[in-house]
Amino acid sequence: MTQEWTSEIWATIRPEEAAALHAAILAAHAQHDLERLVDLYAIAADSKEVEGDVDATCFFLTQAFVFALEAGAARAHELNRRLVAYGRAWPLE
């Protein structure tokens, strides 16, 4: 069964789901699906944020942000604001 990874419903990820998320990220990389990578890395960031793991949250936010910039996605501003709030980035102009 293929796991569907969408929106904020995945704020907390169980260990067995983490493996499926990891596989989905690898598949999106293989397909060079930038929009999907933004979504998947943001889901991972949200999960780590709920757990209180700031370093992991910011790592995944950074990945999502970079792919959002590369894709020209409007979501880049939201991701940047989150990184700025953690003191991990400068605000976009």
Side-chain angles (χ1 to χ4, degrees):
M1 178 166 78
T2 302
Q3 181 71 50
E4 183 61 32
W5 296 99
T6 56
S7 74
E8 291 79 34
I9 63 170
W10 293 105
T12 56
I13 297 174
R14 296 185 311 261
E16 61 274 12
E17 294 167 335
L21 177 58
H22 179 74
I25 289 171
L26 291 177
H29 273 288
Q31 297 166 1
H32 198 63
D33 186 343
L34 301 179
E35 294 286 339
R36 192 77 176 130
L37 286 167
V38 173
D39 291 341
L40 293 170
Y41 278 118
I43 289 168
D46 293 344
S47 175
K48 291 300 179 181
E49 191 169 47
V50 168
E51 292 175 14
D53 187 339
V54 174
D55 288 335
T57 298
C58 291
F59 170 80
F60 289 121
L61 282 175
T62 300
Q63 301 311 305
F65 177 56
V66 168
F67 287 114
L69 289 173
E70 189 174 342
R75 193 168 181 190
H77 291 282
E78 168 219 336
L79 296 164
N80 176 254
R81 279 191 297 276
R82 290 176 69 186
L83 285 165
V84 169
Y86 281 112
R88 304 291 177 102
W90 295 100
L92 292 176
E93 294 184 13

